[in-house]
Amino acid sequence: MFRLMRILVLLVATFCCTATLAAAAPPPPPVPWMNALGEALDQGKRMTQTFRPGNLTAMDAQKTRLRELLRTVPTNPPDEVLLALARGRALVNQMDAITEGSALGDEAAEVASASFVPPRDLDGDTRRLLLADMKKAAAGAINDVACGEVWSLLTNEQKARLDEPVDSHNHLNSLVEAIDAQYRSVLAKNWNVGYLNRVIGWGTFVQGVSDKTVELVGFMEGGHVTPVDTRAFYYYFHFCMKPPG
């Protein structure tokens, strides 16, 4: 009789313990959601690794899809899902940095157009070539200063991952120096200096480059997923690293 009672007590205790554990364990994430997230992570990773300027529309669509999946996370996700979410947020950061860097040409074109003071008798070909050089100079100055500022946002660990010297880099932090360098290497190389001074509103040009740089660097200051996965890191990796050789 007593033995039977002990067995019943053990069975009840085992059942209660099992029920408690079952209640405490988080439900598995929906299979379709996990499959969609895994597919989005794989496609997004391939896009960032093989990105070309013409792929920007596809990347934006993939980024939107990934963000939507990150907004619809199941409740109480298990550890495997938390790891996937961290990967997803880091990937969105990388896509953001690529998108911003890829828009640099459009931003530079706005600076060139705003500061251009064309003479009345300017022919179409000259106008097109001059604006192209002004755009190139503006883009070069913005990126040079932005890279210098973004470098200062990186941790030593990030710099080590980039395989760059921790205490030095090859970008100009000075806006004036960056514009002067582009002026000499692009504009003055192809155009008469006196002519440039007549067709370029330098105050507007400098202010435009400054505003675009501040906007770009300000965006790169955000987007921290981990101390390593930041927009600044990915921007520097994609747009500031010197090509090999």
Side-chain angles (χ1 to χ4, degrees), residues 147 161-164 171 235-243:
C147 287
R161 283 183 65 192
L162 292 168
D163 196 26
E164 290 276 316
H171 303 285
Y235 184 88
Y236 198 93
F237 175 78
H238 285 285
F239 298 102
C240 304
M241 296 283 287
K242 293 186 301 182

Side-chain angles (χ1 to χ4, degrees), residues 44-126:
K45 183 179 180 180
R46 285 195 297 272
M47 281 186 174
T48 58
Q49 290 175 337
T50 61
F51 177 77
R52 297 292 182 273
N55 300 339
L56 195 56
T57 300
M59 176 170 285
D60 283 341
Q62 187 65 22
K63 185 170 58 174
T64 299
R65 180 187 178 206
L66 187 53
R67 277 191 168 133
E68 182 59 32
L69 287 167
L70 294 176
R71 279 195 295 266
T72 57
V73 181
T75 55
N76 300 318
D79 289 345
E80 63 177 304
V81 174
L82 293 176
L83 291 173
L85 292 176
R87 282 181 56 206
R89 294 188 184 103
L91 191 57
V92 167
N93 254 357
Q94 191 168 3
M95 290 177 169
D96 279 340
I98 291 174
T99 300
E100 286 297 308
S102 298
L104 184 58
D106 293 336
E107 301 290 334
E110 289 182 15
V111 174
S113 179
S115 57
F116 187 40
V117 187
R120 293 180 180 177
D121 58 348
L122 185 66
D123 64 87
D125 287 341
T126 303

Side-chain angles (χ1 to χ4, degrees), residues 137-212:
I142 294 169
N143 192 57
D144 210 3
V145 179
C147 287
E149 294 295 333
V150 167
W151 175 260
S152 69
L153 299 176
L154 302 181
T155 65
N156 288 345
E157 180 183 359
Q158 288 175 316
K159 293 172 183 176
R161 283 183 65 192
L162 292 168
D163 196 26
E164 290 276 316
V166 170
D167 57 353
S168 65
H169 61 92
N170 296 320
H171 303 285
L172 298 172
N173 289 80
S174 166
L175 181 68
V176 174
E177 289 182 6
I179 291 176
D180 182 64
Q182 294 297 321
Y183 172 79
R184 294 174 184 276
S185 64
V186 179
L187 294 171
K189 181 179 178 181
N190 297 329
W191 303 90
N192 176 273
V193 172
Y195 181 73
L196 290 175
N197 290 335
R198 291 196 301 273
V199 298
I200 298 177
W202 286 110
T204 304
F205 186 89
V206 172
Q207 188 61 54
V209 169
S210 176
D211 290 345
K212 299 298 185 184

